């Protein structure tokens, strides 16, 4: 089955800095890569996703890049704000299941 | 309002006492799934369903059962709960597994 590795497990940045979270996946058939944000005590919510026919996607301060050859994808957050503090999960969808990484706790200090 | 509803939100039970966590969605989604979330382990899929009467095991199915008799409902059944099933459980639904998943509020289960 699919295996998704996510790094780092924790990330501390100053407000205004950029943050990058990286994920690798094992199943070359995976073709959908969503990112979810989970605030403390809340449910995960989708923030951005990318499909295998696209190399990069942006939505305001958030961007995701995908390298299918290397089987890795990354989340980039620019101009971080305290409200970006949360746990971020990457995921990959193969034939029938959605597999999540273990998560990255992002802490943005004012 | 489009939503996924889980019940109960919190549950404390004893080892061996059968329990069911309900999940219902009102978005006519075909794909539904159950996850457990444990510290340091992320979200791990327990079972999923691609449509009515179609269910399959995820990564950690041992000790759990599910059913999908109607499109909107996907209950999670623990026939004989054990302490290692103490966890935070999320139900999710989506139009397909290649689309945004909408999560329920979560159920925090403690088995003593």
């Amino acid at each position: 089955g699919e295996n998704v590795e996510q790094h780092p497990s924790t990330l501390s940045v100053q407000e205004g800095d950029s943050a990058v979270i990286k994920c690798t996946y094992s199943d070359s058939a995976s073709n959908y890569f969503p990112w979810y944000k989970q605030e403390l005590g809340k449910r995960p919510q989708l923030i951005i996703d990318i499909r295998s026919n696209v190399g990069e996607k942006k939505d305001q301060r958030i961007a995701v890049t995908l390298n299918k050859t290397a089987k890795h994808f990354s989340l980039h957050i620019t101009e971080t704000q305290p409200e970006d503090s949360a746990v971020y999960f990457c995921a990959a969808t193969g034939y029938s299941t959605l597999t999540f990484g273990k998560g990255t706790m992002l802490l943005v200090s004012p | 309002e489009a939503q996924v509803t889980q019940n109960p939100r919190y549950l404390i039970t004893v080892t061996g006492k059968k329990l069911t966590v309900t999940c219902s969605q009102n978005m006519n989604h075909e794909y539904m799934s159950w996850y457990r979330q444990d510290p340091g382990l992320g979200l791990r899929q327990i079972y999923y369903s691609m449509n009515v009467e179609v269910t399959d095991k995820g990564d950690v199915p041992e000790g759990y059962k599910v059913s999908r008799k109607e499109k909107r409902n996907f209950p999670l059944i623990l026939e004989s709960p054990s302490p290692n099933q103490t966890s935070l459980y999320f139900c999710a639904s989506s139009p397909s597994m290649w689309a945004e998943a909408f999560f329920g509020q979560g159920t925090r289960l403690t088995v003593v």
Side-chain angles (χ1 to χ4, degrees), chain B residues 9-17 19 21 35-42 44 46 60 62-64 76 78 80-90 106-112:
Chain B
R9 292 288 311 279
Y10 302 93
L11 180 59
I12 300 175
T13 191
V14 296
T15 300
K17 185 177 181 182
L19 67 92
V21 184
Y35 298 89
R36 62 177 290 173
Q37 184 173 20
D38 302 289
L41 297 179
R44 293 180 294 167
I46 303 170
V60 288
E62 294 77 22
Y64 305 95
L76 179 70
L78 285 73
S80 183
S82 63
N84 64 12
Q85 293 179 297
T86 292
S87 186
L88 176 60
Y89 291 86
F90 284 102
T107 296
R108 186 164 293 281
L109 173 66
T110 302
V111 184
V112 297

Side-chain angles (χ1 to χ4, degrees), chain B residues 54-67:
Chain B
V54 180
T55 64
D56 210 342
K57 297 177 181 178
D59 296 321
V60 288
E62 294 77 22
Y64 305 95
K65 285 175 58 177
V66 293
S67 68

